């Protein structure tokens, strides 16, 4: 019988650590508004690739880590990241069949919804940002989705991550 031992699972967590670092890395002020949702992108890929290992619990834990790093209300980013993961898990079978351009459109909608929830939560806590410029990260994330997807798919194949 072939052993179904997990292989190279540490790489998944390493990509999440890199995503956390990219989320808090300094950027010029004019580019800050265009910062992609790195953890959202990584959670989306790994949820599609390994739905039996990466799911809602992982999203919640990473969201709490992001809350601690940003200094936001505890659970705010966890809720948003869990929403992204839930939507991706719900659409998983369809997303796998879509061509890349349709995946980008679906990612735009998913990340846009997540950013609107983020805006709503910010308004509830009194930290509302004045414009809907919060949707620009969703657009950037959707535009980066093909490169992130192809890059991580190649990494997964090369290292035999299962």
């Amino acid at each position: 019988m072939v052993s179904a031992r997990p292989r190279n699972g540490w790489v998944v967590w390493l990509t999440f650590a890199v995503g956390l670092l990219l989320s808090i890395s300094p950027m010029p002020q004019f580019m800050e508004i265009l910062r992609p949702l790195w953890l959202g992108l990584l959670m989306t890929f790994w949820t599609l690739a390994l739905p039996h290992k990466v799911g809602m619990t992982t999203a919640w834990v990473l969201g709490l880590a992001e809350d601690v790093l940003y200094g936001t209300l505890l659970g705010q980013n966890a809720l948003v990241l869990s929403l992204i993961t839930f939507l991706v898990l719900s659409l998983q079978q369809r997303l796998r069949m879509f061509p890349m351009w349709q995946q980008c459109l679906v990612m735009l909608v998913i990340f846009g919804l997540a950013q609107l929830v983020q805006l709503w939560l910010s308004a509830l806590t009194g930290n509302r940002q004045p414009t809907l410029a919060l949707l620009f990260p969703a657009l950037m994330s959707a535009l980066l989705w093909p490169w992130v997807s192809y890059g991580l798919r190649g990494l997964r194949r090369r290292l035999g991550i299962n």
Side-chain angles (χ1 to χ4, degrees), residues 15 82 115 141:
T15 60
S82 296
Q115 287 298 96
S141 299

Side-chain angles (χ1 to χ4, degrees), residues 38-82:
W38 291 110
L39 277 182
L41 283 166
L42 294 172
M43 275 302 299
T44 299
F45 176 80
W46 290 118
T47 301
L48 285 173
L50 305 170
H52 57 283
K53 292 191 182 236
V54 178
M56 298 296 286
T57 306
T58 307
W60 187 260
V61 169
L62 286 172
L64 288 177
E66 197 172 29
D67 286 329
V68 170
L69 286 175
Y70 285 161
T72 59
L73 184 65
L74 197 61
Q76 183 174 345
N77 288 314
L79 179 66
V80 170
L81 206 53
S82 296

Side-chain angles (χ1 to χ4, degrees), residues 22-23 27 29-42 44 66 70 77 80 84 104 106-116 118-119 129 131-146 148:
L22 285 172
S23 295
M27 291 179 75
Q29 187 65 31
F30 70 93
M31 289 180 62
E32 190 67 38
I33 200 167
L34 298 174
R35 181 187 297 271
L37 305 171
W38 291 110
L39 277 182
L41 283 166
L42 294 172
T44 299
E66 197 172 29
Y70 285 161
N77 288 314
V80 170
I84 291 171
C104 288
V106 172
M107 291 302 129
L108 178 63
V109 171
I110 289 174
F111 293 142
L113 285 172
Q115 287 298 96
L116 286 175
Q118 185 84 320
L119 179 67
Q129 296 177 353
T131 65
L132 286 177
L134 206 65
L135 292 176
F136 288 140
L139 179 63
M140 286 303 297
S141 299
L143 291 174
L144 282 176
W145 171 248
V148 170

